[in-house]
Amino acid sequence: MRTRPISQARLPVLGRMPLALLALWMVMGTPQAADAVNGLNLIGSGGWSSALAGADTAIALDFTTMNTNPAGMSRITEWTAGLSFGTIKPNSRFQNVANNVEGSDDALLFTNFGYIKALAGTPISLGIGFFTTGGIATDFRGLRTPFALDDRTGSQLRHYKVTPSVSIQLTDSLSIGASIGLSYADAALTVLPNTPTGFAIEGSCTHHSGLAPPGGTCAYALGITPKFGIMYQVTDRLTLGLAYTMGTNLPLRNGRGTQNLGPLGTASFDVKATGLKWADDLSVGLSYRPTDALLLALKFQWINWDGALNNIVIDFTNGSNPLAPTSQAVVPFNWRDQYVTALGAAYDLTTSLNLHGGYNFGNNPTRSTSLDPTTANITEHHFVGGLLYRITPSLWLDSNFTYVLAGTQTYNSPLYGPNTTSRVGGYELIFTLGYWPKS
């Protein structure tokens, strides 16, 4: 079996696996190359979570609380439900000595929805939801290499969760909660398939705007992602929150791919990837109402990418060509920990109309020594603005827009050469329909 760490990869030559295997993947409704994300995580879960730029650890205003701090479900009287639809439009560019191309940045679609019910006569609330967690998506076409005049590279990773959740009101001021996220992730990766040793791992999850059925020939994984939370109401106007999400091992299996073997032609392989882990994170936050009409929210978050995204090993086995039955690549992701600050505000202009927005900053978690155009999640600054319209006192429609300030980074790539440059930006638009009957 041939093994090559990415640091040893050069421009493709026959018999060496090109390491831009580095490129990992996306989410149904996740940004292309780091749009509207903190690392791999979307900055919000739709609804009020996204409306406040992710400053959501100490708020409980709709169904998204089960994904941000499940303890907040105890503040939902009777029941509430909601449905979010969103789109992310990336704007990316890749440049090296031979190329200067914009990404084929099709808009990506995603959804979140959920239902929370307080059990009458008990301190318990239950909830169930579906959330798009995050990922990566890149697609660069028309690339020139020493062996091909029209090649391509790209990646797609999608991560979703179904979240059975429970909260308990321990005292008038204190509640605790937990959700057991049932995670599904799948991945596709294409690296210069028209060039010798290039390959393509594709399937139903690839280039479908994030909307595609699971399975197929994309490698996929199932996992458990528990989340725990505490919420404490200090006064009628001040609330504190704490939430912790456990990391999730996601060994990707059951994929199929092809590899360009040069003079030997193209062979197909079984594909699996081990070492991918979604990071655990810890967030603390507060929300404060100076007046009945004004809400202010703040969140600080630590995301443990350093302990999650290190070496990822991709195995190609059971090759259709007996001269190349197996091969392996070691992908040194080597991300740093990320520290996120989110600020949000909402103001009732009238009894029917609310204006809201916020700012989200997360430091760039990538390292230039292992950066790749397919994993260039390098954006840091996100600006959010939106409007909520109350159709009735219980039914509302919210829309919010996120502008992602473009990030640019130049680095020396083992595969794409010295002075490779990635530029990533874009925007996100989300609509949420929510219902919360008021007593």
Side-chain angles (χ1 to χ4, degrees):
M1 178 179 291
R2 302 189 308 279
T3 303
R4 286 286 190 277
I6 276 199
S7 59
Q8 294 179 8
R10 298 292 185 270
L11 287 175
V13 294
L14 187 61
R16 181 176 293 152
M17 282 303 291
L19 233 21
L21 284 169
L22 286 184
L24 230 75
W25 324 306
M26 144 160 194
V27 169
M28 164 192 170
T30 292
Q32 184 136 343
D35 240 16
V37 287
N38 296 136
L40 296 180
N41 295 335
L42 286 167
I43 69 169
S45 304
W48 278 104
S49 171
S50 297
L52 297 174
D56 48 23
T57 305
I59 63 168
L61 300 174
D62 66 358
F63 72 99
T64 60
T65 187
M66 79 178 82
N67 193 51
T68 60
N69 185 346
M73 295 193 306
S74 292
R75 303 184 68 182
I76 302 296
T77 57
E78 297 187 30
W79 64 274
T80 188
L83 171 65
S84 287
F85 286 104
T87 182
I88 293 174
K89 181 61 176 72
N91 180 6
S92 59
R93 177 172 289 275
F94 164 68
Q95 183 176 355
N96 66 2
V97 66
N99 299 280
N100 187 1
V101 298
E102 292 187 2
S104 300
D105 297 329
D106 295 335
L108 305 169
L109 305 176
F110 64 96
T111 188
N112 302 288
F113 55 86
Y115 172 79
I116 297 171
K117 170 68 173 177
L119 301 184
T122 78
I124 297 172
S125 296
L126 301 178
I128 185 74
F130 173 90
F131 295 95
T132 300
T133 303
I136 300 174
T138 62
D139 186 13
F140 296 102
R141 306 182 189 185
L143 301 180
R144 300 171 65 93
T145 78
F147 302 93
L149 298 179
D150 185 9
D151 221 328
R152 57 196 172 93
T153 190
S155 60
Q156 185 157 312
L157 169 66
R158 313 183 300 174
H159 181 197
Y160 317 97
K161 291 191 301 183
V162 176
T163 57
S165 307
V166 59
S167 70
I168 302 174
Q169 189 76 42
L170 297 178
T171 70
D172 290 343
S173 301
L174 178 65
S175 61
I176 60 174
S179 67
I180 305 299
L182 308 176
S183 288
Y184 169 85
D186 59 23
L189 176 64
T190 303
V191 179
L192 306 176
N194 299 329
T195 296
T197 72
F199 62 90
I201 306 166
E202 298 179 306
S204 61
C205 69
T206 311
H207 309 312
H208 286 82
S209 298
L211 299 177
T217 56
C218 292
Y220 67 89
L222 300 174
I224 303 294
T225 309
K227 189 181 188 80
F228 307 96
I230 301 172
M231 196 169 286
Y232 182 71
Q233 190 165 343
V234 181
T235 70
D236 290 342
R237 297 193 177 275
L238 176 64
T239 301
L240 303 179
L242 175 72
Y244 174 68
T245 308
M246 295 181 65
T248 311
N249 288 310
L250 294 169
L252 296 155
R253 304 185 186 280
N254 302 308
R256 290 289 294 173
T258 59
Q259 184 183 357
N260 186 327
L261 302 178
L264 298 179
T266 299
S268 60
F269 294 85
D270 292 334
V271 177
K272 67 176 182 179
T274 54
L276 173 64
K277 182 179 180 181
W278 217 271
D280 56 321
D281 68 78
L282 178 68
S283 64
V284 295
L286 64 85
S287 63
Y288 180 63
R289 285 192 178 275
T291 68
D292 291 343
L294 177 62
L295 170 66
L296 304 175
L298 172 67
K299 179 183 80 173
F300 297 105
Q301 184 180 31
W302 164 71
I303 308 177
N304 186 22
W305 296 121
D306 179 68
L309 286 179
N310 293 296
N311 288 337
I312 295 174
V313 178
I314 302 180
D315 289 296
F316 294 76
T317 59
N318 301 321
S320 60
N321 189 324
L323 297 179
T326 64
S327 59
Q328 185 181 80
V330 178
V331 184
F333 237 88
N334 295 329
W335 275 18
R336 290 180 283 246
D337 284 350
Q338 193 169 40
Y339 301 91
V340 177
T341 300
L343 304 167
Y347 183 72
D348 288 329
L349 297 173
T350 70
T351 56
S352 299
L353 191 63
N354 178 276
L355 175 67
H356 50 259
Y359 168 70
N360 180 294
F361 172 82
N363 61 287
N364 175 7
T366 69
R367 299 179 191 269
S368 60
T369 53
S370 56
L371 192 60
D372 184 275
T374 53
T375 57
N377 283 24
I378 58 177
T379 56
E380 297 183 327
H381 305 277
H382 308 78
F383 302 89
V384 179
L387 290 171
L388 180 145
Y389 178 68
R390 295 182 179 91
I391 303 168
T392 72
S394 299
L395 180 68
W396 72 88
L397 177 64
D398 177 72
S399 64
N400 60 80
F401 176 86
T402 300
Y403 172 72
V404 183
L405 186 66
T408 302
Q409 190 164 342
T410 299
Y411 48 96
N412 295 324
S413 170
L415 181 65
Y416 298 99
N419 296 318
T420 296
T421 299
S422 292
R423 184 179 186 275
V424 182
Y427 64 84
E428 176 186 79
L429 182 63
I430 299 177
F431 294 92
T432 300
L433 185 65
Y435 187 82
W436 183 354
K438 301 297 183 178
S439 301

